[in-house]
């Protein structure tokens, strides 16, 4: 399996919630404790407004007055992020969020950085997050995006990646067999001084249900790549090398050990009908 064929029903690019610019583990800890302490129906606008106000009070989220307006989608993005990271599962009948073991560890302040690194290394497509109707990532994509990125960072031909260059795996990291293709595309991008128009010829590469335009699609992918970089920084898995202006893999041995063990676990089978079971296994820290 290599680059996937185009299917107008799905996006072939990675995606991550972008509700917080930097998602340091301590922030996830506070968001988890806030969400799971709430005994009200979190799907209602009033409850979401209250939760949003609490995030502002904790200095986790900017004041809504400074971000034009609030909406239910804003708070839902926090729920999606916790689900993406395997920190919560949701009862299919009551719709109540519950912490996974990883979520419990995060909430108890027991080495939240280690928990976060484990979850980044287990994060995969497909997942409950990736197949959500409002996202629709192609279910044929089978990849651990952060492990894939770290493998690229280890490649001696690349010697690290810029945030812009991370857009290549966002676009073409459909499975592990796409590794060499991504390496060559990154080298081509460098040869053309970062000009994506010289190496990407089809607007379908950027296609999502909402976006079919090359310029807008490229900006979206660059934003997703920057978000991926922020996740890796929050997990202290990468460092910024000032001389080359590229991000390189950390030399921290604990982080590398997690990458070499948890990161090498195989992609887990996923069935949308058993999303709760998948989340429990994913968050089995």
């Amino acid at each position: 399996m290599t680059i996937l064929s185009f299917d107008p029903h799905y996006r072939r690019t990675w995606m991550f919630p972008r509700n917080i610019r930097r998602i340091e583990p301590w922030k996830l800890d506070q968001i988890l404790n806030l969400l799971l302490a709430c005994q009200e129906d979190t799907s209602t606008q009033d409850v979401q407004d209250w939760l949003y106000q609490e995030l502002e009070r904790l200095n986790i989220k900017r004041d809504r007055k400074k971000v034009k307006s609030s909406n239910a989608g804003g708070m839902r993005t926090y729920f999606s992020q916790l689900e993406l990271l395997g920190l919560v599962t949701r009862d299919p009948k009551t719709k109540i969020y519950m912490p996974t073991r990883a979520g419990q560890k995060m909430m108890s302040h027991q080495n939240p950085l280690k928990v976060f690194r484990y979850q980044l290394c287990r994060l995969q497509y497909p997942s409950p997050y990736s197949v959500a109707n409002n996202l629709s990532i192609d279910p044929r994509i089978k990849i651990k995006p952060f492990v894939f990125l770290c493998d690229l960072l280890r490649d001696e031909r690349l010697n690290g990646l810029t945030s812009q260059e991370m857009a290549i795996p966002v676009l073409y990291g459909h499975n592990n067999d796409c590794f060499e293709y991504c390496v060559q595309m990154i080298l081509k991008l460098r040869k053309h001084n970062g000009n994506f128009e010289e190496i990407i010829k089809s607007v379908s590469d950027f296609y999502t249900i909402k976006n079919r335009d090359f310029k807008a699609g490229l900006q979206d992918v660059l934003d997703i790549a920057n978000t991926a970089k922020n996740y890796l920084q929050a997990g202290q898995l990468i460092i910024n090398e000032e001389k080359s202006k590229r991000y390189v893999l950390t030399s921290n041995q604990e982080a590398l050990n997690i990458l070499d063990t948890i990161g090498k676990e195989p992609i887990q089978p996923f069935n949308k009908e058993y999303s709760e079971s998948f989340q429990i296994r994913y968050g089995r820290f």
Side-chain angles (χ1 to χ4, degrees):
M1 189 190 300
T2 52
I3 301 298
L4 298 182
S5 58
F6 174 69
D7 184 332
H9 297 98
Y10 300 107
R11 66 186 296 152
R12 291 179 294 167
T13 60
W14 300 353
M15 184 60 184
F16 315 101
R18 292 177 249 178
N19 45 305
I20 311 178
R21 185 168 179 268
R22 293 287 174 86
I23 57 163
E24 287 90 346
W26 70 265
K27 289 184 180 178
L28 291 171
D29 177 350
Q30 293 199 42
I31 295 169
L32 262 173
N33 276 289
L34 175 63
L35 172 62
L36 296 173
C38 179
Q39 300 298 310
E40 304 294 330
D41 182 357
T42 56
S43 66
T44 65
Q45 184 67 59
D46 287 345
V47 172
Q48 290 190 19
D49 284 346
W50 177 80
L51 288 168
Y52 209 98
Q53 289 172 1
E54 288 301 297
L55 292 178
E56 293 169 0
R57 185 181 64 79
L58 293 168
N59 293 319
I60 292 172
K61 187 64 179 173
R62 288 181 297 168
D63 191 322
R64 283 173 295 178
K65 295 176 183 177
K66 299 177 182 179
V67 291
K68 296 184 180 180
S69 64
S70 67
N71 56 62
M75 199 61 227
R76 282 197 298 269
T77 308
Y78 284 87
F79 304 155
S80 294
Q81 186 173 68
L82 297 176
E83 184 176 48
L84 170 75
L85 292 166
L87 298 173
V88 297
T89 185
R90 199 177 189 188
D91 188 292
K93 294 181 179 178
T94 65
K95 305 300 182 184
I96 293 174
Y97 287 97
M98 299 171 290
T100 60
R101 287 191 65 184
Q104 290 171 353
K105 288 286 186 182
M106 181 76 75
M107 293 170 67
S108 64
H109 321 298
Q110 295 183 38
N111 201 340
L113 176 60
K114 183 177 181 180
V115 175
F116 185 57
R117 286 170 170 169
Y118 264 64
Q119 297 314 106
L120 286 183
C121 288
R122 283 187 170 141
L123 194 156
Q124 70 168 64
Y125 306 133
S127 67
Y129 171 81
S130 72
V131 302
N133 293 333
N134 63 331
L135 194 59
S136 297
I137 294 177
D138 196 315
R140 296 175 296 167
I141 292 179
K142 293 181 177 11
I143 196 72
K144 290 183 171 184
F146 294 107
V147 174
F148 191 84
L149 273 172
C150 288
D151 286 343
L152 286 170
L153 290 165
R154 280 176 157 163
D155 195 290
E156 293 181 354
R157 294 168 293 177
L158 299 177
N159 291 314
L161 296 170
T162 65
S163 177
Q164 281 193 326
E165 290 169 350
M166 291 182 192
I168 295 299
V170 167
L171 280 167
Y172 302 115
H174 301 160
N175 51 72
N176 288 327
D177 290 340
C178 299
F179 185 85
E180 187 60 28
Y181 184 85
C182 287
V183 169
Q184 294 305 319
M185 286 291 282
I186 292 166
L187 293 175
K188 272 188 187 179
L189 185 64
R190 290 177 182 176
K191 184 178 179 181
H192 291 283
N193 299 313
N195 188 343
F196 283 89
E197 292 185 12
E198 291 293 329
I199 66 168
I200 299 173
K201 303 303 181 182
S202 175
V203 69
S204 67
D205 291 359
F206 301 110
Y207 178 87
T208 68
I209 302 301
K210 296 180 180 179
N211 180 29
R212 296 160 188 165
D213 174 77
F214 190 99
K215 184 178 179 181
L218 175 58
Q219 186 57 57
D220 185 45
V221 165
L222 290 172
D223 289 343
I224 296 167
N226 187 63
T227 301
K229 180 264 295 180
N230 288 342
Y231 276 53
L232 289 172
Q233 283 184 303
Q236 298 178 27
L237 293 171
I238 59 173
I239 56 176
N240 191 354
E241 197 173 65
E242 291 185 14
K243 189 174 182 180
S244 67
K245 297 183 179 179
R246 295 176 188 165
Y247 293 91
V248 297
L249 200 62
T250 181
S251 59
N252 179 274
Q253 197 55 54
E254 180 181 334
L256 294 176
N257 287 342
I258 292 172
L259 271 171
D260 290 334
T261 53
I262 304 304
K264 300 308 178 186
E265 293 174 350
I267 297 287
Q268 297 299 308
F270 174 72
N271 185 324
K272 192 173 182 179
E273 293 183 10
Y274 302 102
S275 292
E276 185 182 10
S277 297
F278 176 90
Q279 283 295 104
I280 291 171
R281 177 166 175 75
Y282 172 25
R284 65 188 180 277
F285 184 84

